[in-house]
Amino acid sequence: MLMTIDNASVERAYLAMPEALQVRALELRRLILSTAQTLDATGGIEETLKWGQPSYLPLKAKIGSAVRVAVHDDQHLGLYFNCNTTLVETFRSLFGDDLQYSKNRAVLFDIGKPLPQEAIAQCVRMALYYHRDRRSS
């Protein structure tokens, strides 16, 4: 089920996840990458490891903030964001109880439920354009 991942460290991080979580994590990866392809101002996306977690950030400096994929617990994956941003606070105001949150750091997804693809795409877009959008508002 593993898609081609050019960065060997990132590939190992996904392979180290329990299988049920790995399948969903790779779905999150696909959603992040497909959303990023629509965002021209990022200059592309870098897939790397940050804090041992697969991380996605714009190649162009000062455009956006990183999005990380991580296991939260045995039933939840998280999309993690820089806790010094207002991203999770903004997601709470947009999506309310439709999403689960972990403090000001993450949006959590139950691996037994379908991923809310539109909400994920919007969260990823807001993160990858975070600095650009803050300057323009």
Side-chain angles (χ1 to χ4, degrees), residues 2 4 8 16 26 30 36 38 54 67-68 75-77 83 91 96 99-100 102 109-110 123 128 132:
L2 197 61
T4 302
L26 290 169
R30 182 188 57 76
T38 69
V67 177
R68 292 178 288 127
Q75 288 299 307
H76 294 88
L77 281 170
C83 61
F91 304 153
L99 296 178
Q100 272 186 286
S102 177
F109 305 101
D110 184 322
C123 292
L128 296 178
R132 184 198 80 151

Side-chain angles (χ1 to χ4, degrees), residues 13-32 53-54 67-81 99-102 105-116 120:
Y14 280 110
L15 289 172
M17 294 177 183
E19 190 175 345
L21 291 163
Q22 182 187 114
V23 169
R24 287 302 190 154
L26 290 169
E27 262 186 81
L28 281 174
R29 176 183 184 263
R30 182 188 57 76
L31 286 166
I32 292 166
Q53 302 164 336
V67 177
R68 292 178 288 127
V69 175
V71 172
H72 182 74
D73 60 34
D74 63 349
Q75 288 299 307
H76 294 88
L77 281 170
L79 277 183
Y80 284 78
F81 305 91
L99 296 178
Q100 272 186 286
Y101 310 93
S102 177
R105 303 185 53 215
V107 176
L108 304 179
F109 305 101
D110 184 322
I111 63 165
K113 296 180 181 175
L115 291 174
I120 291 168

